[in-house]
């Protein structure tokens, strides 16, 4: 079950798209999340890139917690296509983020 707020995920997506100018802000934003939010964000990216199926989201979260070896911000920011993976993960879980995207623009 998704417990991280969709607006936080959308903020990460937005900052990841602007990585050249928003890298420091993205790193700080992710660092400020609690451990559960970081694990959920990682799990969303994994679902979005096809490493886990949507129905295995809870398992992905548990894996993110148990296998974390580097700071989450460093790991995610090193992931190719982070924004696209997060968008695909949200879509796969059936979370509509249209309202949150409009609020950022």
């Amino acid at each position: 079950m998704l417990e991280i707020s969709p607006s936080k995920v959308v903020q990460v997506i937005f900052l990841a798209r602007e990585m050249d100018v928003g890298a420091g802000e993205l790193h700080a934003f992710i660092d400020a999340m609690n451990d559960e939010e970081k694990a959920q964000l990682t799990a969303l990216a994994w679902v979005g890139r096809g490493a886990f199926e949507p129905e295995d989201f809870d398992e992905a979260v548990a894996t993110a917690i148990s296998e974390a070896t580097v700071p989450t911000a460093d790991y995610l920011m090193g992931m190719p296509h982070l924004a696209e993976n997060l968008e695909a993960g949200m879509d796969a879980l059936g979370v509509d983020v249209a309202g949150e995207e409009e609020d950022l623009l």
Side-chain angles (χ1 to χ4, degrees):
M1 174 180 211
L2 187 67
E3 295 178 17
I4 186 172
S5 77
S7 63
K8 284 188 176 184
V9 177
V10 169
Q11 182 68 31
V12 171
I13 291 168
F14 177 77
L15 291 170
R17 286 185 184 146
E18 304 296 324
M19 188 73 80
D20 292 339
V21 294
E25 189 176 347
L26 175 58
H27 201 284
F29 189 79
I30 295 171
D31 280 346
M33 291 180 180
N34 66 43
D35 290 342
E36 182 67 23
E37 290 172 324
K38 290 175 185 178
Q40 293 229 341
L41 191 65
T42 301
L44 272 172
W46 288 345
V47 168
R49 74 175 185 194
F52 286 86
E53 295 299 320
E55 58 270 15
D56 298 326
F57 181 74
D58 291 338
E59 179 185 342
V61 171
T63 301
I65 292 168
S66 68
E67 295 186 5
T69 57
V70 298
T72 303
D74 294 343
Y75 174 75
L76 290 175
M77 291 175 69
M79 181 183 288
H81 313 292
L82 174 60
E84 292 85 356
N85 290 340
L86 290 172
E87 287 176 329
M90 294 291 276
D91 187 52
L93 293 178
V95 179
D96 181 15
V97 295
E100 283 82 4
E101 288 176 344
E102 290 174 8
D103 289 346
L104 283 176
L105 300 175

